[in-house]
Amino acid sequence: MAYSAAFSQSISILAYIDISSKKEDCKYLSIKNISEQLSIPVPSIKRLISMLKRNGLLDTKAGVDGGLALSTDDSRISLFDIFNSIEGINNPLFKIYKDFDFKNFEENKSKAENILDKQEKALSKVELNMERNLKNISLKDIIDG
């Protein structure tokens, strides 16, 4: 079970935009510059930027002085916001197998059902804890670490 590198790449993109815009005293950074500095291909950055922008984490500006900027302060962007932008909120962390055939467990059918129920509850609890932890860590926490 592993998500793609897109989540961590997105954190890096947002952190780079935040750090560079403050350091260089410019609001917008180009995709080309981000790609070169982070060694992420331009098409990948464009795809990630599209998702981050759709979820309100990035602003874009066209033109010579254009590029990408954070849409809000880094302390107001949680890792959950980034994760949700990339992986989606309706995409569960664990895929639960529910097509269990109870025919072979006639005598212990209730025990088998109980095991599956407990498994689902345990994995749901793990997922909720992960979400809670991601909500409690901001982009600023990552940058200032």
Side-chain angles (χ1 to χ4, degrees):
M1 169 209 77
Y3 283 100
S4 69
F7 175 49
S8 65
Q9 287 175 328
S10 297
I11 294 169
S12 297
I13 290 167
L14 294 173
Y16 180 76
I17 290 170
D18 189 50
I19 292 166
S20 294
S21 64
K22 289 175 183 171
K23 181 178 146 190
E24 297 173 21
D25 197 30
C26 63
K27 182 164 177 159
Y28 293 94
L29 297 171
S30 74
I31 291 173
K32 182 180 179 209
N33 179 282
I34 296 166
S35 173
E36 289 171 356
Q37 295 302 314
L38 299 179
S39 298
I40 302 172
V42 169
S44 296
I45 289 182
K46 286 182 178 181
R47 181 179 52 83
L48 295 173
I49 286 167
S50 172
M51 291 184 267
L52 295 166
K53 184 179 176 189
R54 186 175 346 133
N55 285 284
L57 302 180
L58 279 176
D59 287 331
T60 58
K61 179 181 173 187
V64 177
D65 294 329
L68 305 165
L70 296 186
S71 62
T72 188
D73 188 76
D74 59 3
S75 65
R76 298 182 52 137
I77 299 174
S78 73
L79 292 188
F80 180 77
D81 297 329
I82 302 167
F83 183 82
N84 181 42
S85 296
I86 301 306
E87 300 296 345
I89 197 140
N90 295 322
N91 193 8
L93 183 62
F94 299 103
K95 310 284 189 254
I96 308 284
Y97 178 72
K98 294 187 178 202
D99 295 332
F100 199 79
D101 185 2
F102 291 104
K103 292 177 192 169
N104 297 326
F105 296 92
E106 288 296 326
E107 294 176 15
N108 295 319
K109 182 178 179 183
S110 64
K111 185 171 183 168
E113 288 173 335
N114 189 32
I115 290 169
L116 292 176
D117 184 52
K118 285 182 180 179
Q119 169 192 326
E120 186 170 1
K121 286 179 182 175
L123 295 178
S124 292
K125 185 177 179 180
V126 168
E127 187 169 350
L128 285 172
N129 285 331
M130 184 188 104
E131 286 180 15
R132 191 176 305 119
N133 287 329
L134 289 174
K135 287 177 182 177
N136 288 326
I137 302 170
S138 71
L139 182 62
K140 182 175 179 54
D141 295 331
I142 298 293
I143 293 169
D144 293 344

